[in-house]
Amino acid sequence: MKLRTELIGSGSSVNRDLDLVIAGGGPAALAAALYAARYDIEHIVLESYQPGGQAALTALIENYPGIKTIGGGDLVAVMKEQAESWGALFEMSSVISADPIGDRIQIKADSSTYMARNLIIATGAAPARLGVPGEEKFYGRGVSYCATCDAPFFRDARVLVVGGGDSAVKEALHLSEFVSELVLVHRRDKFRAEPYLAEKLLSCGKCSVNWNTTLKEIKGDESVESVVLSTPEGEKELKVDGVFMYVGRKPATEPFANLIDLNDNGTVRTHDIVHTSRENIFAAGDVTDNKLRQIVTAVSDGARAASAVFELLQ
Ligand code: NAP
């Protein structure tokens, strides 16, 4: 308990020796924090400047068992409150690097450095960029990766959504409550998204889906004015006020690239769900190569990882 008091009142740039550092602030990290606190493991959670991770940017969660519907931000806020009520400690600081030193891991974050016996990587994933001309130029000026954050700016506008997965369809449904017209383009002729979500989108009056269609370019002067699409009938230009991209996610694993084995797509290579190529390093949630990426699986990973750390410390 002494250590915890020191941590709460301490300044920055101090090497602190802990049993566990949890990197990340989404559901996986929050569950790991809850379990670590209840196991009384000396720990700190290094959450980035986007607390709650991707889940916090999801308008509506309808598949978290036990709660019929809840906003993503509300769900992660309750998770954090619950973890803190058990003594979980948080610091708003992004991990910059992690290096093995003896039997410890040195974790450098924006404002501090920690030496830890164990590390749980739960840094999640950020929206992938499509890489088309105009995407960077108009980011924040009509190009967005977050309908939950930006939908109110597109009231009565015509928008394009790119992608066919759960994120694209779910966020398109949220956007449709604001915009006057929504066009979704998907590179194939079949959604990857849950059928329930797909059916909802297909029956949304102001939404249309262009199959086998890709986005080639985003055009405009100060902000987005139109897009160039490659369709089965050839290229066409469509006037739109905004473009929302949901073409997958990029795992946030750069700081750990030299520490543990990663897959070609950047995810952490795991075995037995949360174990990595190092005995004292665990991974949880969207940062892993586990197939199902849901809030319910992220919290399960977080709990398993904290439990594995507890066992190692015995
Ligand atoms: P995702 O499932 O990987 O879907 C990405 C979509 O973008 C796919 O439809 C893909 O097309 C398309 N795409 C990828 N690269 C493209 C490119 N270069 N050009 C055009 N289209 C491209 O990603 P996500 O939707 O962000 O979901 C990530 C994970 O989170 C998934 O496991 C998902 O189930 C989960 N999630 C769940 C919920 C939920 O409420 N249950 C909500 C959000 C996310 P193809 O289909 O042709 O590959």
Side-chain angles (χ1 to χ4, degrees), residues 115-204:
M115 296 298 289
R117 284 180 182 77
N118 299 278
L119 169 65
I120 296 176
I121 301 171
T123 41
R129 301 289 199 254
L130 193 54
V132 293
E135 184 175 8
E136 289 304 318
K137 178 178 172 190
F138 295 115
Y139 176 53
R141 290 187 287 150
V143 171
S144 170
Y145 302 85
C146 181
T148 307
C149 326
D150 297 334
F153 299 116
F154 294 86
R155 215 172 275 281
D156 301 324
R158 185 198 227 187
V159 297
L160 184 88
V161 174
V162 186
D166 282 331
S167 298
V169 175
K170 208 167 182 187
E171 297 298 290
L173 284 167
H174 178 64
L175 265 172
S176 70
E177 290 169 24
F178 295 82
V179 302
S180 61
E181 191 183 343
L182 185 145
V183 179
L184 184 143
V185 294
H186 182 31
R187 64 180 176 183
R188 290 191 292 143
D189 62 355
K190 194 174 186 293
F191 279 128
R192 182 179 291 277
E194 269 186 81
Y196 164 75
L197 291 172
E199 274 162 33
K200 237 174 135 179
L201 184 80
L202 292 169
S203 59
C204 145

Coordinates of all heavy atoms in Angstrom, one line a residue, residues 115-204:
M115 N 10.2 0.4 -14.2 CA 10.7 -1.0 -14.3 C 9.6 -1.9 -13.8 O 9.1 -1.6 -12.8 CB 12.0 -1.1 -13.4 CG 13.1 -0.2 -13.8 SD 13.8 -0.6 -15.5 CE 14.5 -2.1 -15.2
A116 N 9.3 -2.9 -14.7 CA 8.2 -3.8 -14.3 C 8.6 -5.2 -14.4 O 9.3 -5.6 -15.3 CB 7.0 -3.5 -15.1
R117 N 8.1 -6.0 -13.5 CA 8.3 -7.5 -13.6 C 7.5 -8.1 -14.7 O 7.8 -9.1 -15.3 CB 7.9 -8.2 -12.2 CG 8.9 -8.0 -11.1 CD 8.5 -8.6 -9.9 NE 9.5 -8.4 -8.8 CZ 9.5 -7.2 -8.2 NH1 8.7 -6.3 -8.4 NH2 10.5 -7.0 -7.2
N118 N 6.3 -7.5 -14.9 CA 5.4 -8.0 -15.9 C 4.8 -6.8 -16.7 O 4.6 -5.7 -16.2 CB 4.2 -8.8 -15.3 CG 4.8 -10.0 -14.5 OD1 5.0 -11.0 -15.1 ND2 4.9 -9.8 -13.2
L119 N 4.4 -7.1 -17.9 CA 3.7 -6.1 -18.8 C 2.5 -6.7 -19.5 O 2.6 -7.8 -20.0 CB 4.7 -5.6 -19.8 CG 4.2 -4.7 -21.0 CD1 3.7 -3.4 -20.4 CD2 5.3 -4.5 -22.0
I120 N 1.4 -6.0 -19.4 CA 0.2 -6.4 -20.2 C 0.1 -5.3 -21.3 O -0.1 -4.1 -21.0 CB -1.1 -6.5 -19.4 CG1 -0.9 -7.6 -18.3 CG2 -2.3 -6.7 -20.3 CD1 -2.1 -7.7 -17.4
I121 N 0.2 -5.8 -22.6 CA 0.0 -4.8 -23.7 C -1.5 -4.9 -24.1 O -2.0 -5.9 -24.6 CB 0.9 -5.2 -24.9 CG1 2.4 -5.3 -24.4 CG2 0.7 -4.3 -26.1 CD1 3.3 -5.9 -25.5
A122 N -2.1 -3.7 -23.9 CA -3.6 -3.7 -24.3 C -3.8 -2.3 -25.0 O -4.7 -1.6 -24.6 CB -4.4 -3.8 -23.0
T123 N -2.9 -2.0 -25.9 CA -2.9 -0.7 -26.5 C -3.8 -0.6 -27.7 O -3.9 0.5 -28.3 CB -1.4 -0.4 -27.0 OG1 -0.9 -1.6 -27.6 CG2 -0.5 0.1 -25.9
G124 N -4.5 -1.6 -28.0 CA -5.6 -1.6 -29.0 C -5.1 -1.3 -30.4 O -4.0 -1.6 -30.8
A125 N -6.0 -0.7 -31.2 CA -5.7 -0.4 -32.6 C -6.3 0.9 -33.0 O -7.4 1.3 -32.5 CB -6.3 -1.5 -33.5
A126 N -5.7 1.5 -34.0 CA -6.2 2.8 -34.5 C -6.8 2.6 -35.9 O -6.4 1.6 -36.6 CB -5.1 3.8 -34.6
P127 N -7.7 3.4 -36.4 CA -8.3 3.2 -37.7 C -7.2 3.3 -38.8 O -6.3 4.1 -38.7 CB -9.2 4.5 -37.9 CG -9.5 4.9 -36.5 CD -8.3 4.6 -35.7
A128 N -7.3 2.3 -39.7 CA -6.3 2.3 -40.8 C -6.6 3.4 -41.8 O -7.8 3.8 -42.0 CB -6.4 0.9 -41.5
R129 N -5.6 3.9 -42.5 CA -5.7 4.9 -43.5 C -5.9 4.1 -44.8 O -5.2 3.1 -45.0 CB -4.5 5.8 -43.6 CG -4.2 6.6 -42.3 CD -5.2 7.6 -42.1 NE -4.8 8.7 -41.2 CZ -5.3 8.8 -39.9 NH1 -6.1 7.9 -39.4 NH2 -4.9 9.8 -39.2
L130 N -6.7 4.7 -45.8 CA -6.8 4.0 -47.1 C -5.6 4.4 -48.0 O -5.2 3.6 -48.8 CB -8.2 4.5 -47.7 CG -8.7 3.7 -48.9 CD1 -8.8 2.2 -48.6 CD2 -10.0 4.3 -49.3
G131 N -5.1 5.6 -47.8 CA -4.0 6.0 -48.6 C -4.3 6.6 -50.0 O -3.5 6.5 -50.9
V132 N -5.5 7.1 -50.1 CA -5.9 7.7 -51.4 C -5.6 9.2 -51.4 O -5.5 9.9 -50.4 CB -7.4 7.5 -51.7 CG1 -7.7 6.1 -51.9 CG2 -8.3 8.1 -50.6
P133 N -5.4 9.8 -52.6 CA -5.1 11.2 -52.7 C -6.2 12.0 -52.0 O -7.4 11.7 -52.3 CB -5.0 11.5 -54.2 CG -4.7 10.2 -54.8 CD -5.3 9.1 -53.9
G134 N -5.9 13.0 -51.3 CA -6.9 13.9 -50.6 C -7.2 13.4 -49.2 O -7.7 14.2 -48.4
E135 N -6.8 12.2 -48.8 CA -7.2 11.7 -47.5 C -6.5 12.5 -46.4 O -7.2 12.9 -45.4 CB -6.8 10.2 -47.4 CG -7.2 9.5 -46.1 CD -7.0 8.0 -46.1 OE1 -6.3 7.5 -47.1 OE2 -7.4 7.3 -45.2
E136 N -5.2 12.7 -46.5 CA -4.5 13.4 -45.5 C -4.9 14.9 -45.5 O -5.1 15.5 -44.5 CB -3.0 13.3 -45.7 CG -2.4 11.9 -45.4 CD -2.7 11.4 -43.9 OE1 -2.7 12.2 -43.0 OE2 -3.1 10.2 -43.8
K137 N -4.9 15.4 -46.7 CA -5.2 16.9 -46.9 C -6.5 17.3 -46.3 O -6.6 18.3 -45.7 CB -5.2 17.2 -48.4 CG -5.5 18.7 -48.7 CD -5.5 18.9 -50.2 CE -6.0 20.4 -50.5 NZ -6.2 20.6 -51.9
F138 N -7.5 16.4 -46.4 CA -8.9 16.8 -45.9 C -9.2 16.2 -44.6 O -10.4 16.3 -44.1 CB -9.9 16.5 -47.0 CG -9.8 17.3 -48.2 CD1 -9.5 16.7 -49.4 CD2 -9.9 18.7 -48.2 CE1 -9.3 17.4 -50.6 CE2 -9.7 19.5 -49.3 CZ -9.4 18.8 -50.5
Y139 N -8.2 15.6 -43.9 CA -8.5 15.0 -42.6 C -8.9 16.2 -41.6 O -8.1 17.1 -41.5 CB -7.2 14.3 -42.1 CG -7.4 13.8 -40.6 CD1 -8.5 13.0 -40.3 CD2 -6.5 14.1 -39.6 CE1 -8.7 12.5 -39.0 CE2 -6.6 13.6 -38.3 CZ -7.7 12.9 -38.0 OH -7.9 12.4 -36.7
G140 N -10.0 16.0 -41.0 CA -10.5 17.1 -40.2 C -11.2 18.2 -40.9 O -11.8 19.1 -40.4
R141 N -11.2 18.1 -42.3 CA -12.0 19.1 -43.1 C -12.9 18.3 -44.0 O -13.0 18.6 -45.2 CB -11.0 19.9 -43.9 CG -10.2 20.9 -43.0 CD -9.4 21.8 -43.8 NE -8.2 21.2 -44.3 CZ -7.6 21.6 -45.4 NH1 -8.1 22.6 -46.1 NH2 -6.5 21.0 -45.9
G142 N -13.5 17.3 -43.5 CA -14.5 16.5 -44.2 C -14.1 15.0 -44.2 O -15.0 14.2 -44.4
V143 N -12.9 14.7 -44.0 CA -12.5 13.3 -43.8 C -12.4 12.9 -42.3 O -11.8 13.7 -41.5 CB -11.1 13.0 -44.5 CG1 -10.6 11.6 -44.1 CG2 -11.2 13.2 -46.0
S144 N -13.1 11.9 -42.0 CA -13.1 11.5 -40.6 C -13.0 9.9 -40.4 O -13.4 9.2 -41.4 CB -14.4 12.0 -39.9 OG -14.6 11.4 -38.6
Y145 N -12.6 9.5 -39.3 CA -12.5 8.1 -39.0 C -13.4 7.8 -37.8 O -13.4 6.7 -37.2 CB -11.1 7.7 -38.7 CG -10.2 8.0 -39.8 CD1 -9.6 9.2 -39.9 CD2 -9.9 7.0 -40.8 CE1 -8.8 9.5 -41.0 CE2 -9.1 7.3 -41.9 CZ -8.5 8.6 -42.0 OH -7.7 8.8 -43.1
C146 N -14.3 8.8 -37.4 CA -15.1 8.6 -36.2 C -16.4 9.3 -36.3 O -16.5 10.5 -36.1 CB -14.3 9.2 -35.0 SG -15.2 9.0 -33.5
A147 N -17.4 8.5 -36.7 CA -18.8 9.1 -36.9 C -19.3 9.5 -35.5 O -20.0 10.5 -35.4 CB -19.7 8.1 -37.5
T148 N -19.0 8.7 -34.5 CA -19.5 9.1 -33.2 C -19.0 10.5 -32.7 O -19.8 11.2 -32.1 CB -19.0 8.0 -32.1 OG1 -19.4 6.7 -32.7 CG2 -19.6 8.2 -30.8
C149 N -17.8 10.8 -33.1 CA -17.3 12.1 -32.7 C -17.8 13.2 -33.7 O -18.1 14.3 -33.2 CB -15.7 12.2 -32.8 SG -14.9 10.7 -32.4
D150 N -17.9 12.9 -35.0 CA -18.1 14.0 -35.9 C -19.4 14.1 -36.6 O -19.7 15.1 -37.3 CB -17.0 13.9 -37.0 CG -15.6 14.1 -36.5 OD1 -15.5 14.7 -35.5 OD2 -14.6 13.5 -37.1
A151 N -20.3 13.1 -36.4 CA -21.6 13.1 -37.1 C -22.4 14.4 -37.0 O -22.9 14.9 -38.0 CB -22.5 12.0 -36.6
P152 N -22.4 15.1 -35.8 CA -23.2 16.3 -35.7 C -22.7 17.4 -36.7 O -23.5 18.3 -37.0 CB -23.0 16.8 -34.2 CG -22.6 15.5 -33.5 CD -21.9 14.7 -34.5
F153 N -21.4 17.3 -37.1 CA -20.9 18.4 -38.1 C -21.5 18.1 -39.5 O -21.3 18.9 -40.4 CB -19.4 18.3 -38.2 CG -18.7 18.7 -36.8 CD1 -18.0 17.7 -36.2 CD2 -18.9 19.9 -36.3 CE1 -17.4 18.0 -35.0 CE2 -18.3 20.2 -35.0 CZ -17.5 19.3 -34.4
F154 N -22.1 17.0 -39.7 CA -22.6 16.6 -41.0 C -24.1 16.6 -41.1 O -24.7 15.9 -41.9 CB -22.0 15.3 -41.5 CG -20.5 15.4 -41.7 CD1 -19.6 15.3 -40.6 CD2 -20.0 15.8 -42.9 CE1 -18.2 15.4 -40.7 CE2 -18.6 15.9 -43.1 CZ -17.7 15.7 -42.0
R155 N -24.8 17.4 -40.3 CA -26.2 17.4 -40.2 C -26.7 17.9 -41.6 O -26.2 18.8 -42.2 CB -26.7 18.4 -39.2 CG -27.9 18.0 -38.5 CD -28.2 19.0 -37.3 NE -27.5 18.6 -36.1 CZ -27.9 17.6 -35.3 NH1 -29.0 17.0 -35.6 NH2 -27.2 17.4 -34.2
D156 N -27.7 17.1 -42.2 CA -28.3 17.5 -43.5 C -27.3 17.4 -44.7 O -27.5 18.1 -45.7 CB -29.0 18.8 -43.4 CG -30.1 18.8 -42.4 OD1 -30.7 17.7 -42.2 OD2 -30.3 19.8 -41.7
A157 N -26.1 16.8 -44.5 CA -25.1 16.7 -45.5 C -25.2 15.4 -46.3 O -26.0 14.5 -45.9 CB -23.7 16.9 -44.9
R158 N -24.5 15.3 -47.4 CA -24.4 14.0 -48.1 C -23.0 13.4 -47.8 O -22.0 14.1 -48.0 CB -24.5 14.2 -49.6 CG -24.6 12.9 -50.4 CD -24.3 13.3 -51.8 NE -25.3 12.6 -52.7 CZ -25.2 12.6 -54.0 NH1 -24.2 13.3 -54.6 NH2 -26.0 12.0 -54.7
V159 N -22.9 12.2 -47.3 CA -21.6 11.7 -46.9 C -21.4 10.3 -47.6 O -22.3 9.6 -47.9 CB -21.4 11.5 -45.4 CG1 -21.5 12.8 -44.7 CG2 -22.4 10.5 -44.8
L160 N -20.1 10.0 -47.7 CA -19.7 8.7 -48.2 C -19.0 7.9 -47.0 O -18.3 8.5 -46.2 CB -18.6 8.9 -49.3 CG -18.1 7.6 -50.0 CD1 -19.1 7.3 -51.2 CD2 -16.7 7.8 -50.5
V161 N -19.4 6.7 -46.9 CA -18.7 5.8 -46.0 C -18.0 4.7 -46.7 O -18.6 4.1 -47.7 CB -19.8 5.1 -45.0 CG1 -19.1 4.1 -44.1 CG2 -20.5 6.2 -44.2
V162 N -16.8 4.4 -46.3 CA -16.0 3.4 -47.0 C -15.8 2.2 -46.1 O -15.3 2.3 -45.0 CB -14.6 3.9 -47.5 CG1 -13.9 2.9 -48.3 CG2 -14.8 5.2 -48.2
G163 N -16.1 1.0 -46.6 CA -15.8 -0.3 -45.8 C -17.1 -1.1 -45.7 O -18.2 -0.6 -45.9
G164 N -16.9 -2.4 -45.3 CA -18.0 -3.3 -45.3 C -18.0 -4.1 -44.0 O -18.8 -5.1 -43.9
G165 N -17.2 -3.7 -43.0 CA -17.1 -4.5 -41.7 C -18.1 -3.9 -40.7 O -18.9 -3.0 -41.0
D166 N -18.0 -4.4 -39.5 CA -18.9 -4.0 -38.4 C -18.8 -2.5 -38.2 O -19.8 -1.8 -38.0 CB -18.6 -4.7 -37.1 CG -19.1 -6.1 -37.1 OD1 -20.2 -6.3 -37.7 OD2 -18.5 -7.0 -36.4
S167 N -17.6 -2.0 -38.2 CA -17.4 -0.5 -37.9 C -18.1 0.3 -39.0 O -18.8 1.3 -38.6 CB -15.9 -0.1 -37.9 OG -15.2 -0.8 -36.9
A168 N -17.8 0.0 -40.3 CA -18.4 0.8 -41.3 C -20.0 0.8 -41.2 O -20.6 1.9 -41.3 CB -18.0 0.2 -42.7
V169 N -20.5 -0.3 -41.0 CA -22.0 -0.4 -41.1 C -22.6 0.2 -39.8 O -23.6 1.0 -39.8 CB -22.4 -1.9 -41.2 CG1 -23.9 -2.0 -41.1 CG2 -22.0 -2.4 -42.6
K170 N -22.0 -0.1 -38.7 CA -22.5 0.5 -37.4 C -22.4 2.0 -37.4 O -23.3 2.7 -37.0 CB -21.6 -0.1 -36.3 CG -22.4 -0.2 -35.0 CD -21.6 -1.1 -34.0 CE -22.5 -1.2 -32.8 NZ -21.8 -1.8 -31.7
E171 N -21.2 2.5 -37.8 CA -21.1 3.9 -37.8 C -21.9 4.6 -38.9 O -22.4 5.7 -38.7 CB -19.6 4.3 -37.9 CG -18.7 3.7 -36.8 CD -19.1 4.3 -35.4 OE1 -18.8 5.5 -35.2 OE2 -19.7 3.6 -34.6
A172 N -22.1 3.9 -40.0 CA -23.0 4.5 -41.0 C -24.4 4.6 -40.5 O -25.1 5.6 -40.7 CB -23.0 3.5 -42.2
L173 N -24.9 3.6 -39.7 CA -26.2 3.7 -39.1 C -26.3 4.9 -38.1 O -27.3 5.6 -38.1 CB -26.5 2.4 -38.3 CG -26.9 1.2 -39.2 CD1 -26.9 -0.1 -38.5 CD2 -28.3 1.5 -39.9
H174 N -25.2 5.1 -37.4 CA -25.2 6.3 -36.5 C -25.3 7.6 -37.3 O -26.1 8.5 -37.0 CB -24.0 6.3 -35.6 CG -23.9 7.4 -34.7 ND1 -24.8 7.7 -33.7 CD2 -23.0 8.4 -34.7 CE1 -24.4 8.8 -33.1 NE2 -23.3 9.3 -33.6
L175 N -24.5 7.6 -38.4 CA -24.4 8.8 -39.2 C -25.8 9.1 -39.9 O -26.1 10.3 -40.0 CB -23.4 8.6 -40.3 CG -22.0 9.1 -40.2 CD1 -21.2 8.6 -41.3 CD2 -21.9 10.6 -40.1
S176 N -26.5 8.1 -40.2 CA -27.7 8.2 -40.9 C -28.8 9.0 -40.1 O -29.7 9.5 -40.6 CB -28.3 6.9 -41.4 OG -28.8 6.2 -40.2
E177 N -28.5 9.1 -38.8 CA -29.5 9.9 -38.0 C -29.2 11.4 -38.1 O -30.0 12.2 -37.7 CB -29.3 9.5 -36.5 CG -29.8 8.1 -36.2 CD -29.4 7.6 -34.8 OE1 -29.1 8.4 -34.0 OE2 -29.3 6.3 -34.7
F178 N -28.1 11.7 -38.7 CA -27.8 13.2 -38.9 C -27.9 13.7 -40.3 O -28.3 14.7 -40.6 CB -26.4 13.4 -38.4 CG -26.2 13.2 -36.9 CD1 -26.0 11.9 -36.4 CD2 -26.3 14.2 -36.0 CE1 -25.9 11.6 -35.0 CE2 -26.1 14.0 -34.6 CZ -25.9 12.7 -34.1
V179 N -27.4 12.8 -41.2 CA -27.2 13.3 -42.6 C -28.5 13.2 -43.4 O -29.4 12.6 -43.0 CB -26.1 12.5 -43.3 CG1 -24.8 12.6 -42.6 CG2 -26.5 11.0 -43.5
S180 N -28.4 13.9 -44.6 CA -29.6 13.8 -45.5 C -29.5 12.6 -46.4 O -30.5 12.0 -46.8 CB -29.8 15.1 -46.3 OG -28.7 15.3 -47.1
E181 N -28.2 12.3 -46.8 CA -28.0 11.1 -47.7 C -26.7 10.4 -47.4 O -25.7 11.1 -47.1 CB -28.0 11.6 -49.1 CG -28.1 10.5 -50.1 CD -28.0 10.9 -51.6 OE1 -28.3 12.1 -51.8 OE2 -27.7 10.1 -52.4
L182 N -26.7 9.1 -47.4 CA -25.5 8.4 -47.1 C -25.2 7.3 -48.2 O -26.1 6.6 -48.5 CB -25.6 7.7 -45.7 CG -24.4 7.0 -45.2 CD1 -24.3 7.1 -43.7 CD2 -24.4 5.5 -45.6
V183 N -24.0 7.4 -48.7 CA -23.6 6.4 -49.7 C -22.5 5.6 -49.2 O -21.5 6.1 -48.8 CB -23.2 7.1 -51.0 CG1 -22.8 6.0 -52.1 CG2 -24.3 8.0 -51.6
L184 N -22.7 4.3 -49.1 CA -21.6 3.4 -48.6 C -21.0 2.7 -49.8 O -21.8 2.1 -50.6 CB -22.1 2.4 -47.5 CG -21.1 1.5 -46.9 CD1 -21.4 1.3 -45.4 CD2 -21.0 0.2 -47.6
V185 N -19.7 2.7 -49.9 CA -19.0 1.9 -50.9 C -18.2 0.8 -50.3 O -17.5 1.0 -49.3 CB -18.1 2.8 -51.8 CG1 -18.9 3.8 -52.6 CG2 -17.0 3.5 -51.0
H186 N -18.4 -0.4 -50.9 CA -17.6 -1.6 -50.4 C -17.0 -2.3 -51.6 O -17.6 -2.4 -52.7 CB -18.6 -2.5 -49.7 CG -18.0 -3.7 -49.1 ND1 -16.7 -3.7 -48.6 CD2 -18.5 -5.0 -48.9 CE1 -16.4 -4.9 -48.2 NE2 -17.4 -5.7 -48.3
R187 N -15.8 -2.7 -51.4 CA -15.0 -3.3 -52.5 C -15.5 -4.6 -53.0 O -15.1 -5.1 -54.1 CB -13.5 -3.4 -52.1 CG -13.2 -4.3 -51.0 CD -11.7 -4.3 -50.7 NE -11.4 -5.2 -49.6 CZ -10.2 -5.3 -49.1 NH1 -9.2 -4.7 -49.6 NH2 -9.9 -6.1 -48.1
R188 N -16.3 -5.3 -52.2 CA -16.9 -6.6 -52.6 C -18.4 -6.5 -52.8 O -18.9 -5.4 -52.6 CB -16.6 -7.6 -51.5 CG -15.1 -8.0 -51.4 CD -15.0 -9.2 -50.5 NE -15.3 -9.0 -49.2 CZ -15.9 -9.9 -48.4 NH1 -16.3 -11.0 -48.9 NH2 -16.1 -9.6 -47.1
D189 N -19.0 -7.7 -53.0 CA -20.5 -7.6 -53.1 C -21.2 -8.3 -51.9 O -22.3 -8.7 -52.0 CB -20.9 -8.3 -54.4 CG -20.5 -9.8 -54.4 OD1 -19.8 -10.2 -53.5 OD2 -20.9 -10.5 -55.4
K190 N -20.4 -8.3 -50.8 CA -21.0 -8.9 -49.6 C -20.4 -8.2 -48.4 O -19.2 -8.0 -48.3 CB -20.6 -10.4 -49.6 CG -21.4 -11.3 -48.6 CD -21.0 -12.8 -48.8 CE -21.8 -13.7 -48.0 NZ -21.6 -13.6 -46.6
F191 N -21.2 -8.0 -47.4 CA -20.7 -7.3 -46.2 C -20.0 -8.3 -45.3 O -20.3 -9.5 -45.3 CB -21.9 -6.8 -45.3 CG -22.4 -5.5 -45.8 CD1 -23.8 -5.3 -46.0 CD2 -21.6 -4.4 -45.9 CE1 -24.3 -4.1 -46.4 CE2 -22.1 -3.2 -46.3 CZ -23.4 -3.0 -46.5
R192 N -19.0 -7.8 -44.6 CA -18.3 -8.6 -43.6 C -19.0 -8.4 -42.3 O -18.9 -9.2 -41.4 CB -16.8 -8.1 -43.5 CG -15.9 -8.8 -42.5 CD -14.6 -8.2 -42.6 NE -13.9 -8.5 -43.8 CZ -13.2 -9.6 -44.1 NH1 -13.2 -10.5 -43.2 NH2 -12.6 -9.8 -45.2
A193 N -19.8 -7.4 -42.2 CA -20.5 -7.0 -40.9 C -21.5 -8.0 -40.5 O -22.0 -8.8 -41.4 CB -21.1 -5.6 -41.1
E194 N -21.9 -8.0 -39.3 CA -22.9 -8.9 -38.7 C -24.2 -8.7 -39.6 O -24.6 -7.6 -39.9 CB -23.3 -8.3 -37.3 CG -22.7 -8.9 -36.2 CD -23.3 -8.4 -34.9 OE1 -24.4 -8.9 -34.5 OE2 -22.8 -7.4 -34.3
P195 N -24.9 -9.8 -39.9 CA -26.1 -9.7 -40.8 C -27.1 -8.8 -40.2 O -27.8 -8.0 -40.9 CB -26.6 -11.2 -40.8 CG -25.4 -12.0 -40.6 CD -24.5 -11.2 -39.7
Y196 N -27.3 -8.8 -38.9 CA -28.3 -7.9 -38.2 C -28.0 -6.4 -38.6 O -28.9 -5.7 -38.9 CB -28.3 -8.1 -36.7 CG -29.0 -7.1 -36.0 CD1 -30.4 -7.0 -35.9 CD2 -28.3 -6.1 -35.3 CE1 -31.0 -6.0 -35.3 CE2 -28.9 -5.1 -34.6 CZ -30.3 -5.0 -34.6 OH -31.0 -4.0 -33.9
L197 N -26.7 -6.0 -38.5 CA -26.4 -4.6 -38.8 C -26.5 -4.4 -40.3 O -27.1 -3.3 -40.7 CB -24.9 -4.4 -38.4 CG -24.5 -4.4 -36.9 CD1 -23.0 -4.3 -36.7 CD2 -25.2 -3.2 -36.2
A198 N -26.1 -5.3 -41.1 CA -26.2 -5.2 -42.5 C -27.7 -5.0 -43.0 O -28.0 -4.0 -43.8 CB -25.6 -6.4 -43.2
E199 N -28.6 -5.8 -42.4 CA -30.0 -5.6 -42.8 C -30.5 -4.3 -42.4 O -31.3 -3.7 -43.1 CB -30.8 -6.8 -42.1 CG -30.8 -8.0 -42.9 CD -31.2 -9.3 -42.1 OE1 -32.0 -9.1 -41.2 OE2 -30.6 -10.3 -42.4
K200 N -30.1 -3.8 -41.2 CA -30.6 -2.5 -40.7 C -30.1 -1.4 -41.7 O -30.9 -0.5 -42.0 CB -29.9 -2.3 -39.3 CG -31.0 -2.0 -38.3 CD -30.3 -1.9 -36.9 CE -30.9 -0.7 -36.1 NZ -30.3 -0.6 -34.8
L201 N -28.9 -1.5 -42.2 CA -28.4 -0.5 -43.1 C -29.2 -0.6 -44.4 O -29.5 0.5 -45.0 CB -26.9 -0.6 -43.3 CG -26.3 0.5 -44.2 CD1 -26.1 1.7 -43.4 CD2 -25.0 0.1 -44.9
L202 N -29.4 -1.8 -44.9 CA -30.0 -1.9 -46.2 C -31.5 -1.5 -46.2 O -32.0 -1.1 -47.2 CB -30.0 -3.4 -46.7 CG -28.5 -3.9 -47.0 CD1 -28.5 -5.4 -47.2 CD2 -28.0 -3.2 -48.3
S203 N -32.1 -1.4 -45.0 CA -33.4 -0.9 -44.9 C -33.5 0.5 -44.5 O -34.6 1.0 -44.2 CB -34.3 -1.8 -44.0 OG -33.7 -1.8 -42.7
C204 N -32.4 1.2 -44.4 CA -32.4 2.6 -44.0 C -32.7 3.5 -45.2 O -32.0 3.4 -46.2 CB -31.0 3.0 -43.4 SG -30.4 4.6 -43.7

